[in-house]
Amino acid sequence: SVVYGFSGVGKTVLCSTAPKPIILSAEGGLLSLHGKDIPFIEVKTIKDIGDAFDYLKKCDDYETICLDSISEISETVLTEFKKEAKDGRQAFMHLATAVTALIRNFRDLPDKNVVFIAKAKKNIDEESGTSTIEPYAPGQVIKFNIPYLVDQVMYMDVDRKGNRILQTQASRKFTAKDRSGRLDSQEAPDLTAIFKKIRSEKE
């Protein structure tokens, strides 16, 4: 699943609602989880991410892996590739390949829930003036690939009453989808409950 939203909406705290979670943190801002005692691994390089993947592939202590965030991880990887590449275009090509593979590898881990947290980006159409919101990561290829690589894309927002919600169905304003067909158009920010709903279709 991908969960995306703007800064401060509660994406990192959402990870604590998942069953037996561990967070791979590239953001460095885990103050919002203070007192919740959620295990985490800090990832700053491609090697860190690879080491974390190898560890979690063999570890049965956790049911949910949260990558917080795929946006920040992509920016970190891009910085590394820019140092090695002869030109910027080459770096972005390597980025698309590497991050797409990363998402697939984590997504396909057996017996694990995997949540990719992402930043949100607002795009404004110059002709119509209308705005749309979508998951953000540097590079066009990643932006277009992310929604197709996962079963759920949920936009985290705050409703008119001030409650945090997860939008699971796309509108003209934002990207979202639910391949399971089990989720309501708006869900409470509780990943344990959401995972139960999704699995209820298969059982």
Side-chain angles (χ1 to χ4, degrees):
S1 301
V2 168
V3 176
Y4 74 104
F6 290 102
S7 178
V9 79
K11 301 185 297 298
T12 301
V13 173
L14 178 71
C15 296
S16 69
T17 69
K20 293 185 180 178
I22 184 169
I23 299 175
L24 270 57
S25 175
E27 296 276 344
L30 293 175
L31 283 176
S32 57
L33 294 178
H34 182 68
K36 293 185 182 291
D37 195 28
I38 305 296
F40 70 94
I41 300 172
E42 195 167 7
V43 290
K44 292 185 177 180
T45 66
I46 300 170
K47 185 179 183 305
D48 290 344
I49 298 164
D51 290 346
F53 175 80
D54 290 339
Y55 166 70
L56 292 168
K57 186 166 58 174
K58 301 171 185 175
C59 180
D60 295 326
D61 294 343
Y62 311 105
E63 289 183 34
T64 306
I65 301 168
C66 297
L67 286 83
D68 186 15
S69 70
I70 195 66
S71 310
E72 193 73 27
I73 288 170
S74 299
E75 288 170 352
T76 299
V77 172
L78 179 60
T79 299
E80 285 191 58
F81 284 153
K82 278 184 174 179
K83 291 176 183 176
E84 301 169 2
K86 294 179 180 178
D87 64 64
R89 289 174 299 177
Q90 192 177 26
F92 277 101
M93 286 173 61
H94 289 325
L95 174 72
T97 302
V99 175
T100 300
L102 181 153
I103 292 172
R104 282 201 177 105
N105 286 341
F106 275 95
R107 178 199 66 185
D108 294 340
L109 280 171
D111 304 317
K112 293 281 194 294
N113 306 303
V114 181
V115 180
F116 301 97
I117 301 297
K119 298 176 183 177
K121 181 181 179 184
K122 181 180 285 189
N123 294 317
I124 299 176
D125 186 278
E126 293 182 2
E127 293 184 6
S128 64
T130 57
S131 64
T132 55
I133 301 168
E134 62 191 13
Y136 165 75
Q140 294 295 313
V141 177
I142 295 173
K143 180 183 78 172
F144 290 121
N145 277 353
I146 284 176
Y148 297 101
L149 290 169
V150 295
D151 291 330
Q152 282 78 34
V153 177
M154 297 177 278
Y155 171 53
M156 194 166 188
D157 199 7
V158 179
D159 67 16
R160 293 176 183 177
K161 297 179 181 178
N163 300 312
R164 289 179 169 86
I165 54 170
L166 291 170
Q167 304 276 8
T168 70
Q169 294 180 15
S171 75
R172 292 180 180 179
K173 292 184 178 181
F174 53 82
T175 299
K177 76 168 186 178
D178 167 34
R179 227 177 244 166
S180 76
R182 300 294 295 175
L183 300 180
D184 295 332
S185 60
Q186 292 184 350
E187 290 284 350
D190 182 340
L191 290 177
T192 296
I194 286 171
F195 293 153
K196 283 181 180 177
K197 264 193 174 185
I198 291 168
R199 287 201 183 93
S200 69
E201 178 192 31
K202 302 174 183 177
E203 294 173 355

